[in-house]
């Protein structure tokens, strides 16, 4: 049974909202040191595999009927640990992503203020091929950046 892009996008938004954004669906790590989250709905399966610390790198993949069809890679780092703690970073990222997914999207410009921090997500493209940057500032100083890119592979 084939899938359509609207079904894939709806699944991705739900999967992202129910995994990292809500700290849910933890799974056994696929690689040593990884934090993995898996969500399945019908023939779609989503896996986010994150290596976290002062810097973070990860990969999100979607399979449809056991075939890989979509992926995203990301790399981020805290630039000013004196201005943001890992715990505050996590709160800002989860809150911002949760609000964006509530708008039923994961791409497109987004800005949010939270406890004196400004979260800004800018990107180009669509779910077939995209790249973007998440940035957090405090008092005009860049404290965190995360670059991401991905798209359809089927």
């Amino acid at each position: 049974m084939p899938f359509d892009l609207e079904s894939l996008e709806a699944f991705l938004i739900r999967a992202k909202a129910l995994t990292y954004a809500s700290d849910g669906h933890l799974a056994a790590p696929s690689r040593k040191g990884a934090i993995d989250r898996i969500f399945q709905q019908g023939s779609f399966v989503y896996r986010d595999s994150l290596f976290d610390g002062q810097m973070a790198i990860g990969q999100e993949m979607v399979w449809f009927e056991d075939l890989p069809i979509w992926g995203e890679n990301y790399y981020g780092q805290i630039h000013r640990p004196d201005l943001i703690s890992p715990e505050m970073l996590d709160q800002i990222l989860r809150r911002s992503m949760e609000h964006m997914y509530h708008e039923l999207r994961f791409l497109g410009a987004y800005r949010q203020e939270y406890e004196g921090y400004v979260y800004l997500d800018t990107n180009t493209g669509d779910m077939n091929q995209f790249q973007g940057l998440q940035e957090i500032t405090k008092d005009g100083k860049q404290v965190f950046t995360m670059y991401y890119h991905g798209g359809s592979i089927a």
Side-chain angles (χ1 to χ4, degrees):
M1 171 174 71
F3 67 92
D4 60 72
L5 291 177
E6 291 164 358
S7 297
L8 172 59
E9 185 173 26
F11 171 77
L12 271 169
I13 292 165
R14 183 166 170 79
K16 287 172 173 276
L18 293 174
T19 54
Y20 176 78
S22 65
D23 200 21
H25 293 266
L26 284 169
S30 57
R31 296 167 280 187
K32 188 173 183 170
I35 301 167
D36 282 22
R37 299 173 192 285
I38 295 177
F39 178 75
Q40 183 170 358
Q41 184 176 41
S43 296
F44 288 106
V45 176
Y46 167 90
R47 179 184 285 265
D48 182 7
S49 189
L50 165 69
F51 296 85
D52 201 9
Q54 188 76 16
M55 293 175 262
I57 193 165
Q59 179 183 54
E60 299 174 35
M61 289 295 302
V62 174
W63 290 262
F64 182 79
E65 295 180 348
D66 295 326
L67 296 173
I69 60 168
W70 186 91
E72 177 181 342
N73 296 298
Y74 52 88
Y75 174 79
Q77 75 181 97
I78 294 175
H79 301 286
R80 295 291 305 266
D82 58 318
L83 296 178
I84 192 168
S85 68
E87 295 79 18
M88 178 57 75
L89 172 63
D90 200 46
Q91 284 179 32
I92 294 168
L93 290 175
R94 287 180 199 275
R95 178 184 169 102
S96 298
M97 290 178 192
E98 183 179 277
H99 285 164
M100 195 158 64
Y101 304 150
H102 184 72
E103 294 177 2
L104 301 179
R105 64 189 184 100
F106 71 95
L107 291 172
Y110 187 77
R111 182 181 192 280
Q112 183 176 36
E113 295 183 25
Y114 181 72
E115 295 190 16
Y117 293 90
V118 177
Y119 169 91
L120 183 62
D121 187 339
T122 56
N123 50 71
T124 59
D126 59 27
M127 63 180 288
N128 285 310
Q129 184 178 19
F130 60 90
Q131 61 184 4
L133 170 66
Q134 292 177 334
E135 178 180 23
I136 297 174
T137 58
K138 171 93 170 165
D139 301 325
K141 297 175 181 84
Q142 186 181 67
V143 298
F144 171 81
T145 56
M146 180 172 287
Y147 295 91
Y148 60 93
H149 65 271
S152 297
I153 58 174

